[in-house]
Amino acid sequence: KSHLLRAPSQVPRTAAAFVALLENIRSQVPGLVSRFSVLIGEILKLRHEVLICRTLYPGMRQDLDSLLPQQFPRFIPLARLEQVPRYLKAMLVRGQRASVNLVKDQEKAARIRPYVESLRAFLRSRSISPAARLPLSELYWLTEEFKVSCFAQELGTAEPVSAQKLDQKIAVIQGLMKG
């Protein structure tokens, strides 16, 4: 229910816009429960694989807990939830590769570290403006995509991502948090 009835980006201001929103929601209902159940099952299976993985990389458990907090289906939008299995697979690939070449893993981790640290700093801030919430969420998911790009490129990314794109998103958030 919460995935279907999330607040739209723009509140419908006319009867026609409201009817269009309602029809859009109705079109998503058939098959949603089974799709959601299969997705959650796949995520939990992969989460278990990460937990029992013998080839860990430094910070793997922290990455897992950050990606999948308790009651994660309540907090992660369905469109993003559909990407989580790929992020978990990337963790497993990274773990395997780190066990073979930890130095290379650390080099790649150094490319990601500034973005993870910026994200953590923003989240620790007590003054997150409502205007900064969406860009902050976008930064989080772009950072996850960047991890896939760096550690498991063969899995592909859901959208183009680069250090420059992350830097631009950080600049936008900094501007919103100051203003």
Side-chain angles (χ1 to χ4, degrees):
K1 188 168 70 171
S2 66
H3 288 283
L4 285 175
L5 301 177
R6 283 196 189 274
S9 57
Q10 290 190 355
V11 176
R13 298 189 184 272
T14 65
F18 178 77
V19 169
L21 176 64
L22 195 57
E23 288 304 315
N24 181 28
I25 291 170
R26 282 186 181 144
S27 71
Q28 295 177 44
V29 171
L32 180 67
V33 172
S34 62
R35 191 172 112 218
F36 190 73
S37 297
V38 168
L39 181 59
I40 295 298
E42 180 182 9
I43 290 169
L44 293 175
K45 178 180 170 264
L46 287 165
R47 179 184 180 276
H48 180 72
E49 287 180 34
V50 170
L51 287 171
I52 64 170
C53 182
R54 292 178 189 231
T55 55
L56 303 175
Y57 62 84
M60 189 172 190
R61 181 59 194 255
Q62 292 167 315
D63 287 352
L64 178 63
D65 291 343
S66 173
L67 179 63
L68 296 176
Q70 288 186 359
Q71 299 184 3
F72 68 90
R74 295 182 71 198
F75 306 112
I76 302 175
L78 185 57
R80 291 296 183 181
L81 205 56
E82 291 172 338
Q83 304 304 319
V84 169
R86 193 167 37 81
Y87 303 147
L88 293 167
K89 290 174 187 174
M91 284 183 193
L92 291 168
V93 168
R94 179 181 178 190
Q96 292 167 348
R97 291 181 180 158
S99 70
V100 173
N101 190 343
L102 187 57
V103 172
K104 192 170 184 177
D105 179 77
Q106 290 172 340
E107 289 170 0
K108 291 178 180 181
R111 291 178 56 203
I112 291 168
R113 190 171 300 114
Y115 307 108
V116 171
E117 289 174 358
S118 291
L119 187 59
R120 286 182 184 150
F122 288 139
L123 293 174
R124 280 192 306 268
S125 171
R126 300 198 188 277
S127 60
I128 299 173
S129 70
R133 290 178 201 260
L134 180 60
L136 194 54
S137 175
E138 291 169 348
L139 175 63
Y140 177 82
W141 296 112
L142 281 172
T143 303
E144 289 300 321
E145 293 294 338
F146 196 52
K147 290 176 185 178
V148 172
S149 175
C150 289
F151 294 106
Q153 198 170 28
E154 67 275 13
L155 295 176
T157 59
E159 60 186 288
V161 64
S162 65
Q164 181 181 5
K165 190 171 184 178
L166 289 164
D167 289 335
Q168 290 170 348
K169 188 61 70 176
I170 288 170
V172 166
I173 295 167
Q174 288 171 333
L176 291 170
M177 291 182 79
K178 288 179 184 174

